[in-house]
Amino acid sequence: MSAVFASLIPTFLIIATGWLCRATGFVNEQQWAGMERVTYVIFFPALIIDTLSRADLSSVPVLGVGGALVGAILAMAVLVLAMRPVLERHFGIDGPSFTSIFQGATRWNTFVGLAVAGSLFGQRGIALIAVAIAAMVPLLNLLAFYVFIRFAGQPRRSPWDILRSFVTNPFIWSCAVGLALNLLAPPLPKPLAAYIDVIGRAALAAGLLIVGAGLDIRRLARPGLPHALSAGLKLVLLPIMAGTLAGLMGIAGSDMTVTIIAASVPSASAAYVLARQMGGNAGLMAEILTLQTLLALLSMPVLISLLG
C-alpha cells in the first residue's frame, strides 16, 4: 500500500499545483481554456497514438482487461438507471441532477489513470490504460448521450450527429490511429516518431494541472445525497465490480492492478463540459468532480492494495 500511495503523491501534487495556479490567478481563465484545448486535441492523442502504435498487444490481456471494464461499466449503468425512480420519488432528484449522478458513477479521469499506471508499471501500465481507453470511451460517450436525451430533455439527435461526435472525439480517433499503426503499418520514421513522443510527454502533466484547475473547494460546503451516492458508486463499487470480472477472466498481478486503477480513478472533468452543453446540472457535476478527486487520494491506495 505504501508503494501505491507513493506513486499517487506526485500525481496529486501536480493536481494541487493546478488548483493553486487557478486559485491565485497566476493562470487566468482564457489561458486555462487554451491549455485544456491543446491537451485534449494534441497532447493526449499524441500520447495514445505513440503508446498504442509501439505496444506489444500480444503480450497484454486486451480482451480480459477491456472486457472486465466494459462489463463493470454496463453493470453500473444498469444499476444507476434502476435507481432513477427511487431517487426521483423519494429524494426529489430531477432529470438534470440525475445525469450528473450517472456521469459521476460511470465516467473516469484518463489523465489520473495514465499517470498512476505509468508511475507504477511504466510503458506496460500506459499500454493497458490505452487499451482501457479504447474499450471504455466509446461506450461511455454512448451511455452519456442516451442519459442526456432521456432525462435532461434534450432533443433526439440523428444517427449522423452521434456518429460525427464519436469520430471527432480525440480519445476515439487517436485510439483508432494508434491501433491501425500497430497492426497495419510499418514503424514510423524516426523523426516523426520522436515528434509524437515529445508532444505526448506533455500530456500527463498538462492533464493533471487541468484537473486541479477544475477543483472548487467552495462547492463542497453542503454535500448531499447525490455527492455521496456518486462517490460511493464510482470510487468503491465500480472497482469491486471490475476486479471481480477481471478475476473471473483470469487477470492477475500487475494487469489486475491496472484494471483497478482504471476503475477507481475519479470521474472525468469532461463530464462538466458535457453537462453544460446538454442541459445537465453543471453545478452539481462540478461539486461531484471536486469531491471525488479529493476522496480518491484516500480511496485509490486502499482499493488498489486490497483488490490489485
Side-chain angles (χ1 to χ4, degrees):
M1 182 171 175
S2 59
V4 175
F5 190 75
S7 72
L8 281 168
I9 288 177
T11 298
F12 282 91
L13 284 177
I14 298 174
I15 291 174
T17 302
W19 173 81
L20 188 63
C21 287
R22 183 161 193 166
T24 59
F26 181 72
V27 180
N28 63 40
E29 294 289 336
Q30 292 77 16
Q31 291 169 325
W32 280 118
M35 183 175 177
E36 182 174 351
R37 181 168 179 79
V38 169
T39 302
Y40 187 64
V41 179
I42 299 177
F43 293 165
F44 201 85
L47 177 63
I48 295 176
I49 291 171
D50 181 57
T51 300
L52 285 179
S53 65
R54 294 192 292 122
D56 182 5
L57 296 178
S58 63
S59 68
V60 297
V62 174
L63 293 180
V65 172
L69 291 169
V70 166
I73 290 295
L74 288 174
M76 179 60 72
V78 170
L79 174 62
V80 179
L81 288 171
M83 297 170 62
R84 165 65 182 151
V86 176
L87 293 173
E88 181 180 27
R89 185 179 306 116
H90 296 288
F91 300 99
I93 294 176
D94 60 14
S97 297
F98 175 75
T99 64
S100 295
I101 295 174
F102 185 90
Q103 287 203 98
T106 56
R107 300 187 71 127
W108 67 305
N109 196 308
T110 51
F111 297 135
V112 178
L114 277 163
V116 176
S119 176
L120 282 174
F121 303 112
Q123 281 300 313
R124 183 179 179 85
I126 293 178
L128 281 169
I129 289 292
V131 168
I133 291 170
M136 295 168 67
V137 168
L139 174 62
L140 287 170
N141 277 274
L142 182 62
L143 291 172
F145 278 123
Y146 167 76
V147 168
F148 277 106
I149 292 171
R150 175 68 178 81
F151 298 107
Q154 286 295 299
R156 295 190 179 276
R157 307 181 76 178
S158 68
W160 169 247
D161 287 338
I162 296 175
L163 177 62
R164 182 173 58 185
S165 68
F166 273 35
V167 172
T168 57
N169 185 307
F171 295 103
I172 294 174
W173 65 254
S174 60
C175 286
V177 171
L179 289 171
L181 289 174
N182 185 296
L183 299 175
L184 304 175
L188 293 174
K190 288 186 177 180
L192 181 58
Y195 163 74
I196 296 174
D197 175 60
V198 171
I199 292 180
R201 290 181 188 179
L204 294 182
L208 293 174
L209 288 171
I210 291 167
V211 171
L215 299 182
D216 188 349
I217 309 300
R218 296 169 298 179
R219 291 185 177 274
L220 298 181
R222 292 181 294 176
L225 175 66
H227 308 77
L229 181 61
S230 64
L233 292 174
K234 178 66 189 71
L235 301 180
V236 179
L237 184 56
L238 187 63
I240 293 174
M241 288 179 171
T244 301
L245 290 174
L248 292 175
M249 294 181 180
I251 303 300
S254 61
D255 299 334
M256 171 66 86
T257 302
V258 174
T259 304
I260 301 303
I261 290 170
S264 63
V265 295
S267 189
S269 54
Y272 173 72
V273 177
L274 197 60
R276 284 193 305 177
Q277 293 176 344
M278 299 195 68
N281 188 334
L284 176 59
M285 192 71 251
E287 294 165 8
I288 288 173
L289 291 172
T290 300
L291 179 64
Q292 286 193 10
T293 304
L294 296 175
L295 290 179
L297 179 59
L298 301 175
S299 64
M300 286 185 67
V302 174
L303 287 167
I304 292 171
S305 298
L306 291 178
L307 302 177

